Amino acid sequence: MNGVSSRNSRRVAFFLAMALAFAAAALAVTWGLRLLSPSQQVPTDAQLVGALSPDQAAQQAARLFGTAPVGDASAAQAPSRFRLYGVIAGGDSGSALIGIDGKPPRAVVVGDALSPGVILRATGYKMVWLDRDGVRQELKMDPQNAQSGGVGFPSYTPNLPQFNPPALAPPGIAPANIAPPRTDNER
């Protein structure tokens, strides 16, 4: 009886070893083919999704689903007399710095009128939406003029105090100006 169980355990071990050997060989072939295959090139017309503006993304989505992109009233450009200098806070309760007719910019809160018939409706990242006689228009910040000092403001560099870190002794060497702690019986 002892010889039969020994023979069965050897057979099980042999089949298990063969299964592991085939699995290892299949894994080696799979990775070898992956490493030796030529890499796929990125198509020339590929675009980053995050690099698209919301209008471009809407046009691409319309093209993806087989319809022609439709011009939107909100995509109409704002009049050239308004210039966005910066967004102070975003959303429906934000504010922005807007210059009108080349004048210095002023802070405008959402809901306030910039000029007769033009109201600031919402703010976003580097853009605002204006409502001009019921038509929504988008005003984007000009990247060349958004740099510091490029909009007629003097560049401001605050005078910060200089911080000099204390001199540290090398590890293992105590600084010379530290006295050993005193105990009460040393007077």
Side-chain angles (χ1 to χ4, degrees):
M1 184 113 180
N2 196 4
V4 173
S5 74
S6 169
R7 219 177 305 148
N8 285 339
S9 65
R10 285 184 190 173
R11 284 184 185 166
V12 170
F14 174 75
F15 288 123
L16 185 60
M18 291 301 287
L20 288 175
F22 282 121
L27 184 65
V29 168
T30 301
W31 278 104
L33 290 175
R34 282 190 182 193
L35 293 175
L36 295 176
S37 67
S39 62
Q40 295 179 355
Q41 299 295 325
V42 177
T44 57
D45 62 340
Q47 295 178 351
L48 290 175
V49 174
L52 298 176
S53 71
D55 295 332
Q56 291 172 334
Q59 289 176 353
Q60 294 295 331
R63 190 182 79 170
L64 177 69
F65 291 110
T67 61
V70 184
D72 191 24
S74 66
Q77 292 296 320
S80 61
R81 58 183 284 222
F82 299 111
R83 186 165 155 202
L84 180 63
Y85 286 91
V87 177
I88 298 172
D92 294 333
S93 61
S95 58
L97 291 173
I98 300 176
I100 303 170
D101 296 328
K103 294 180 182 174
R106 64 181 177 99
V108 181
V109 179
V110 171
D112 285 355
L114 278 85
S115 66
V118 180
I119 299 172
L120 178 64
R121 282 295 168 207
T123 59
Y125 180 70
K126 294 186 178 182
M127 68 175 62
V128 296
W129 289 272
L130 305 175
D131 189 10
R132 182 175 185 169
D133 297 326
V135 177
R136 185 169 242 188
Q137 296 176 327
E138 186 177 277
L139 180 64
K140 294 183 180 181
M141 189 161 46
D142 187 14
Q144 288 89 17
N145 297 325
Q147 299 169 357
S148 63
V151 293
F153 295 119
S155 61
Y156 174 71
T157 306
N159 293 330
L160 299 175
Q162 293 294 327
F163 174 73
N164 296 325
L168 299 175
I173 301 174
N177 60 356
I178 297 178
R182 286 184 54 178
T183 58
D184 290 337
N185 58 4
E186 294 180 10
R187 289 189 186 203

